[in-house]
Amino acid sequence: MVEEPRTDHVIVVGAGIAGTAAAFRLRQMGRKVTLFERKDHVGGRMSAREVRTGGTVYRVDRGASWLSHNYAPMIKLLEDAGLTGRMLPCSDELGVLRDGRVHRLSLVRSSGLLRTGLLGWRAKLRAVNLLRDLAAARRRLRWEDMSRAAELDRENAEEYALRRLDRELLDYLVEPLCGSQFLAPAEEVAAVGALCIMWGTFGAASFTFDGGTGRLPEYLLDTPVMDSPGTRVELGAQVTEVRRTDDEAVVVWERDGEVRTERARACVVAVPAPVAARIVTSLDQDQRRHLAGVRYTSDVHVTFGLRRPPVETALGVSIPGREHPDLCIVLYEHNLGPGRAPAGRGLVTLIFRHHWNAPRMTAADDAVIADARAALGEVMPDLAAHIDEHREMAVVQRWENAVIARPAGGYRDLAAFTASLDGNSPVQLGGDYFSYSTTSAALATGEQAARRVLGLPPTTAAGGVGL
């Protein structure tokens, strides 16, 4: 079946936060939108699942679990969608483990670095260099397109820390932040990436939604402009090809063995980079090679539902590589807001570095749970014992393309890629591979792709992202 094109019709491929944000902005501007999603739910890495055990229901985020008031594009979207009333406060503390003790840092007050017992006075003095470098870098950090940071991309995060900071700051600030954000050690991450974490994480309060971060794509689809005849959502729809003609986009998709072709004025493709490389036939060889080579780390994490929450005020405890080679962060998700765990219960997630995850992508759940519990026992035995005593359920989540860990030089490659794209094409790209892996960045790239479809100028000096 081939559908005739409509001049006001735009197709969006992928219903993660980038795709749903693009669809929302397009509907705001009066375009009819068809949203294709290969899974049976929206949200992608910003979605949640319900886990029932007996009469108890836990709502477990599949991927993203934390949000910040630093996320300016997300805050603006919430305002425009009338969703700010859905925002709820949550813990603003991040713990870092050192020698068996958890040191808590305020995400709001930068002065916490000066008072913490995590670092010695020499390291605190050297941290001034980090603050200076971050202030200088901010001019080039853009949620929707990090290619402007290419001029800063000269070394990896370990090299930067040893050159500008010191070993203590590397071991107990830079490396654990790289592990928690990218699931990779500092030597595998560009120094620009470490600056991005500081830029996006510190200096603002955290927030959440009732039931977790995965509520946002659901909320967007429930807004009046989206829940209307001009919006069509196709779940379980596998898109196999997107191509451009002179003035329209052609999308081939299938479901239940039936292959269909649809045409539209334009198409926003908001899927992981390797998927875009396979399905967008308008890409030239260099563009396809770049997208296929974007480095994602895999994620296999374990979430425990507990009859009794552990005593901890932080939203999570970051585990430096010096403390444990595999476990990188323990999230106390019941401290991240209501609706995740029933009242009086706890929800704890263990997240690991990619080298631990890779061989467990296909392992049995019981084996992964046992391995995760054993790793926790090596570094936080009291918490492990608490989980053993109060465990009510355990669930394993897997992501092959979880988080982009762009190495040194990766931002220069990104700049060359974005410069090669045609901002006037009927096929536009969106996704966190234009920035770094946060919900706000993915959202901003989807909005930027929608602006290009609409013929609007970019929201900042960053270039367009079409092909």
Side-chain angles (χ1 to χ4, degrees), residues 61-81:
D61 284 318
R62 288 186 171 95
S65 56
W66 173 84
L67 303 171
S68 170
H69 279 273
N70 277 336
Y71 289 1
M74 183 176 290
I75 302 299
K76 181 66 165 61
L77 178 66
L78 290 167
E79 292 172 351
D80 292 349

Side-chain angles (χ1 to χ4, degrees), residues 241-245 248-250 276-285 287-288 421 425-427 467:
E241 182 184 358
V242 179
R243 64 179 183 270
R244 60 173 290 184
T245 66
E248 66 182 15
V250 180
R278 291 197 303 269
I279 68 173
V280 182
T281 58
S282 309
L283 294 164
D284 65 31
Q285 185 176 6
Q287 292 166 341
R288 184 173 290 105
L421 302 177
S425 169
V427 176
L467 63 152

Side-chain angles (χ1 to χ4, degrees), residues 178 181-182 189-198 406 411 436:
C178 287
Q181 174 66 43
F182 302 117
V189 175
V192 173
L195 293 174
C196 286
I197 303 171
M198 300 291 293
R406 192 169 273 121
Y411 291 87
Y436 80 110

Side-chain angles (χ1 to χ4, degrees), residues 46-114:
M46 194 179 188
S47 64
R49 58 182 288 193
E50 288 188 350
V51 180
R52 298 177 181 270
T53 174
T56 303
V57 180
Y58 292 90
R59 187 173 170 88
V60 180
D61 284 318
R62 288 186 171 95
S65 56
W66 173 84
L67 303 171
S68 170
H69 279 273
N70 277 336
Y71 289 1
M74 183 176 290
I75 302 299
K76 181 66 165 61
L77 178 66
L78 290 167
E79 292 172 351
D80 292 349
L83 295 173
T84 55
R86 300 278 194 172
M87 299 167 67
L88 300 172
C90 62
S91 173
D92 289 321
E93 292 182 313
L94 175 66
V96 180
L97 189 71
R98 181 169 187 175
D99 298 328
R101 179 186 172 190
V102 175
H103 299 266
R104 295 165 189 85
L105 302 175
S106 169
L107 298 179
V108 180
R109 298 183 300 275
S110 58
S111 60
L113 272 177
L114 300 177

Side-chain angles (χ1 to χ4, degrees), residues 325-343:
D326 304 323
L327 182 63
C328 60
I329 190 167
V330 177
L331 289 177
Y332 294 83
E333 301 208 40
H334 52 276
N335 291 341
L336 282 166
R340 288 174 164 89

